[in-house]
Amino acid sequence: MTTATTVLTARALLLDMDGTLVNSDAVVERCWRRWADQHGLDGDEVMKVVHGRQGYASMAVLLPNRPMEQNYADNARMLAEETADMDGVVAIPGALEFLASLARLPHALVTSADVGLSTARMAAAGLELPDVRITAESVGASKPDPEGFLKGAAELGVAPEECVVFEDSGAGIAAGRAAGMRVVGVGPRAGFHRPDVLVRDLTQVRVEAAQDGTVRLHVVG
């Protein structure tokens, strides 16, 4: 079987966390299926919606007639539950090496998790937090809104079109596209949403710092 290598050139990388750097599917499934049962919703249908979004935004999609105040309150409880549950949280294959290769290159974490949850999950997975982090507290709108990625680019001082996003979810891929960025999709979920490039995990990505200050991504498909 032959493999092809795609080379993407960027000035900064913007990284989602859940499903991209950290596999937290086990705890996400536990918490959201419990929530679905409490509200008489089909768990499988709920799981199609929740990846990539902040909790309140998922709830607004799933319960469109419910007051947002209830969604925000439920979201706070959900974040507390998820932050207390690290059972099964592990790094995505290749994430440790991938982050190490970015140590001196412009990159940021752009996650729908809040500070507490992102700090706990990255630690549970044995991963270092990037210096620049855009979390739930940083934005007024959840993915698929592009605000988080645009803020990440601004923090790094890089034009949106010179950034490459790494994402696993439909909401995240849509957010990256809306920000005018190219998207590397990570994992099986991403394949349903037509990212620019798709990888199984981060072992398929090699990072090279070019002499002109750009970052070259060698993606083996």
Side-chain angles (χ1 to χ4, degrees):
M1 187 176 72
T2 59
T3 59
T5 300
T6 302
V7 180
L8 299 176
T9 301
R11 292 202 171 271
L13 306 183
L14 302 177
L15 316 173
D16 174 52
M17 182 182 71
D18 292 302
T20 302
L21 298 173
V22 173
N23 183 345
S24 57
D25 281 2
V27 62
V28 172
E29 289 260 350
R30 281 194 294 274
C31 289
W32 277 102
R33 286 186 182 277
R34 188 161 56 235
W35 183 88
D37 286 345
Q38 291 166 356
H39 293 86
L41 299 174
D42 181 271
D44 291 342
E45 294 304 311
V46 167
M47 294 314 301
K48 292 176 184 177
V49 171
V50 301
H51 292 290
R53 291 179 170 87
Q54 290 191 44
Y56 73 84
S58 296
M59 293 167 191
V61 172
L62 293 161
L63 296 173
N65 298 318
R66 192 167 79 149
M68 280 304 293
E69 290 77 12
Q70 286 181 250
N71 295 336
Y72 288 126
D74 258 13
N75 185 51
R77 285 191 291 271
M78 180 80 73
L79 283 169
E81 286 180 29
E82 290 187 277
T83 305
D85 185 356
M86 291 296 130
D87 188 24
V89 173
V90 295
I92 293 289
L96 184 65
E97 298 79 5
F98 177 67
L99 284 173
S101 71
L102 298 181
R104 294 177 179 81
L105 301 174
H107 67 289
L109 187 73
V110 181
T111 176
S112 293
D114 64 2
V115 170
L117 183 57
S118 58
T119 301
R121 281 193 179 155
M122 289 288 280
L127 301 175
E128 293 284 336
L129 279 164
D131 290 338
V132 178
R133 301 185 286 277
I134 306 298
T135 62
E137 295 91 341
S138 311
V139 297
S142 169
K143 299 171 185 176
D145 191 281
E147 182 185 0
F149 287 125
L150 292 172
K151 284 201 166 182
E155 286 271 339
L156 295 170
V158 176
E161 63 270 18
E162 294 185 308
C163 296
V164 168
V165 165
F166 282 72
E167 263 286 359
D168 74 300
S169 71
I173 291 168
R177 279 223 187 84
M181 301 171 181
R182 290 155 293 160
V183 181
V184 175
V186 181
R189 271 194 297 269
F192 295 105
H193 304 285
R194 299 189 300 279
D196 295 283
V197 184
L198 178 66
V199 297
R200 178 186 64 253
D201 56 44
L202 295 171
T203 64
Q204 294 180 264
V205 183
R206 182 171 63 83
V207 179
E208 176 191 10
Q211 290 186 337
D212 62 359
T214 60
V215 180
R216 287 200 186 120
L217 297 169
H218 299 261
V219 182
V220 180

